[in-house]
Amino acid sequence: MIKKLLLTGCLIATSFIHASLAEPTPARQTELRNLLKNDCGACHGLSLKGGMGPALLPENLAGKPDGLLVTTILEGRKGTAMPPWKPFMNRDEVVRLVGVLRKGRD
């Protein structure tokens, strides 16, 4: 019973965390979309179908946990060309970016 209550509490807390993410300003949203198109696209392909880096299409991200994707974007991947992007984006912005990637580009 206690485990069930703890699990329920964790699920509720997680939903509040996602709901409380600050919405970037319209100008920042434009900056992030440009970053995705130009900077990410430089390695992952301008259509995100892959290049030097792997494809970032929804079907390629399926099965990969959000936490893994967020950490990879923020911290980069040692021994690869994937740099850390935390100097340019905060965690909330990366979580939103992962959501955009999961839906596919507009």
Side-chain angles (χ1 to χ4, degrees), residues 34-58:
N34 287 337
L35 189 92
L36 176 62
K37 179 181 176 189
N38 298 312
D39 294 277
C40 299
C43 290
H44 294 279
L46 293 178
S47 60
L48 302 180
K49 293 180 181 176
M52 182 172 45
L56 298 178
L57 302 174

Side-chain angles (χ1 to χ4, degrees), residues 11-25:
L11 291 173
I12 291 170
T14 300
S15 67
F16 282 127
I17 289 169
H18 285 289
S20 69
L21 293 177
E23 184 72 21
T25 65

Side-chain angles (χ1 to χ4, degrees), residues 3-5 20-21 23 29 41 51 62 68 70 76 87 91 94 99:
K3 287 182 183 179
K4 193 180 277 187
L5 287 173
S20 69
L21 293 177
E23 184 72 21
Q29 288 179 32
L68 172 69
V70 169
R91 184 170 189 78
V94 174

